[in-house]
Amino acid sequence: MSHGVYASPMPLRWKLYVTRSRSRKPTAVMHEHTTPIPMVIRPHRAVERTGLWSRTAHELMLRGDFPASFSLAERSVGWLETEVSAWIQERVSHRPPAPR
């Protein structure tokens, strides 16, 4: 049995593989894994999630105040979703309490 395309989203510890049976029909097969697959988000999603302008995110990244991007291909970069989420949570945790 050969493994094919990873379909998302699935529960954290499961991956869905689409395989082809002898009848050549796609078949879904579930496999349990102990480590989650890291989710990579592209620049437009990182900007959308944080509410920052892309230039601001780039400047913060250069200063070390935003997660570093990494190369996916020759002209393609991305961020780990967990790092961007942690950055957002850190910002939220440092905000002052709302006035009453």
Side-chain angles (χ1 to χ4, degrees):
M1 177 188 305
S2 66
H3 296 285
V5 179
Y6 170 72
S8 179
M10 293 299 295
L12 186 62
R13 294 170 57 102
W14 290 90
K15 283 207 271 186
L16 174 67
Y17 287 96
V18 178
T19 62
R20 296 216 181 257
S21 63
R22 289 181 189 208
S23 65
R24 305 291 296 161
K25 292 181 181 175
T27 306
V29 180
M30 297 287 285
H31 295 280
E32 185 174 4
H33 293 273
T34 56
T35 56
I37 303 298
M39 181 70 121
V40 176
I41 57 175
R42 304 275 290 130
H44 65 281
R45 292 282 182 233
V47 167
E48 182 180 273
R49 297 250 350 251
T50 61
L52 298 172
W53 290 93
S54 58
R55 180 71 186 163
T56 304
H58 184 72
E59 289 173 357
L60 288 171
M61 187 177 64
L62 291 176
R63 290 194 327 227
D65 294 332
F66 191 74
S69 63
F70 57 94
S71 178
L72 299 171
E74 186 177 328
R75 294 172 39 102
S76 178
V77 297
W79 285 267
L80 288 177
E81 191 274 335
T82 54
E83 292 179 353
V84 174
S85 293
W87 182 86
I88 293 168
Q89 286 299 324
E90 179 187 355
R91 293 292 171 130
V92 169
S93 68
H94 286 92
R95 73 178 176 182
R100 294 185 183 203

